[in-house]
Amino acid sequence: MKIGVLGSGDVAKVLAGGFLRHGHDTMAGTRDSAKLAAWGKANPRASIGSFAEAAAFGEVVVLAVKGTAAGAALRAAGAANLSGKPVIDATNPIADAPPRNGVLKFFTSLDESLMERLQREFADAHFVKAFNSVGNGRMVDPQFAGGKPTMFICGNDQAAKTTVAGLVEQFGWEVADMGAVEAARAIEPLCMLWCIPGFLRNEWTHAFKLLR
Ligand SMILES: NC(=O)c1ccc[n+]([C@@H]2O[C@H](COP(=O)([O-])OP(=O)(O)OC[C@H]3O[C@@H](n4cnc5c(N)ncnc54)[C@H](OP(=O)(O)O)[C@@H]3O)[C@@H](O)[C@H]2O)c1
């Protein structure tokens, strides 16, 4: 597939690299292409462009920017370039405040997730939450003695979720579909839970698994 990744941080680079390795055509988008210059040299099959160019390029778009900037990045990408497409939302609504006893502060509430805000503003895009509650070092082809970890996803559009689930499975995960966009109220705070062992004990290599 053609994948447009919005972002120049670790998550964007890891996911874009994973899509390339798994045989997809990939363009990464940023406001400042200098930030991706070294990554581009190491990944010569990747294209680099603006947020709008990456969104226009992708049949699937990946949102991998700072949570406080998610709306701004999507506005720069352009609603028309997102319309009708699955948008994998890896963001977390982390506030610009330090964690307290290892617990991150969010700028959203338990009654409204970031993805709901984005879905409301970009009504024609098909947001699917994924990759938000695992560290970037374990996002692609994770290896765990306990078997495949579980990626919790949600979103309103079934076809978009089917497409995203296929990509997530290709990256070596099992997928647990938690339903519509409101489920992001529960999936986004998994990031808080995931980070606690990191902040308290410098443990950053775990992932969640749903046992049935
Ligand atoms: N780090 C992890 O392991 C991890 C794991 C799971 C989920 N996440 C989530 O994934 C997202 C990306 O995390 P990250 O650590 O890779 O990077 P990050 O430092 O949170 O975000 C960097 C990206 O945000 C964009 N950005 C910042 N301010 C902006 C603004 N005012 N307008 C438009 N874009 C702006 C930057 O755009 P430019 O390229 O234009 O500078 C850059 O691409 C976050 O929401 C994070 O919570 C992170």
Side-chain angles (χ1 to χ4, degrees), residues 5 9 20 28 33 39 45 50 60 70 107 109 116-117 123 133 145 155 160 177 199 203 209 212:
V5 179
L20 286 166
S33 57
W39 179 83
R45 284 199 303 113
S50 65
V60 171
F107 60 78
S109 78
E116 287 171 273
R117 292 187 191 176
S133 39
D177 182 352
F199 288 125
E203 294 169 12
K209 185 164 182 68
R212 300 176 175 88

Side-chain angles (χ1 to χ4, degrees), residues 5-8 28-36 48-51 54:
V5 179
L6 309 183
S8 64
T30 172
R31 293 167 301 171
D32 175 7
S33 57
K35 289 186 181 175
L36 287 169
I48 294 169
S50 65
F51 285 138

Side-chain angles (χ1 to χ4, degrees), residues 7-11 30-32 35 51 64-67 69 72-73 90-92 94 131-132 134-136 139:
S8 64
D10 289 340
V11 174
T30 172
R31 293 167 301 171
D32 175 7
K35 289 186 181 175
F51 285 138
V65 300
K66 195 169 184 277
T91 65
N92 285 307
I94 298 172
F131 294 109
N132 72 299
V134 66
N136 64 79
M139 286 181 176

Side-chain angles (χ1 to χ4, degrees), residues 106 109-110 113 116 129 132-133 152 154 178 181-192:
F106 273 18
S109 78
L110 284 175
S113 61
E116 287 171 273
K129 199 87 210 173
N132 72 299
S133 39
F152 295 97
C154 69
M178 292 290 121
V181 66
E182 290 79 9
R185 298 175 196 181
I187 298 175
E188 288 173 2
L190 289 179
C191 151
M192 298 167 83

Side-chain angles (χ1 to χ4, degrees), residues 52-195:
E53 286 167 338
F57 173 88
E59 300 164 272
V60 171
V61 177
V62 180
L63 179 64
V65 300
K66 195 169 184 277
T68 52
L74 291 174
R75 272 169 235 131
N81 291 328
L82 305 168
S83 180
K85 297 179 182 178
V87 178
I88 300 178
D89 175 18
T91 65
N92 285 307
I94 298 172
D96 288 325
R100 188 160 174 175
N101 287 328
V103 181
L104 285 166
K105 188 169 169 51
F106 273 18
F107 60 78
T108 49
S109 78
L110 284 175
D111 296 320
E112 192 201 33
S113 61
L114 175 57
M115 195 167 86
E116 287 171 273
R117 292 187 191 176
L118 301 176
Q119 183 64 78
R120 200 174 309 119
E121 180 172 351
F122 301 91
D124 296 332
H126 303 313
F127 288 88
V128 180
K129 199 87 210 173
F131 294 109
N132 72 299
S133 39
V134 66
N136 64 79
R138 295 289 184 281
M139 286 181 176
V140 183
D141 303 323
Q143 301 296 323
F144 287 101
K148 281 188 186 185
T150 305
M151 184 72 71
F152 295 97
I153 71 165
C154 69
N156 285 346
D157 189 86
Q158 194 54 52
K161 284 196 290 190
T162 301
T163 299
V164 173
L167 294 169
V168 171
E169 285 166 0
Q170 198 180 25
F171 278 12
W173 292 78
E174 62 173 29
V175 171
D177 182 352
M178 292 290 121
V181 66
E182 290 79 9
R185 298 175 196 181
I187 298 175
E188 288 173 2
L190 289 179
C191 151
M192 298 167 83
L193 185 65
W194 187 88
C195 285

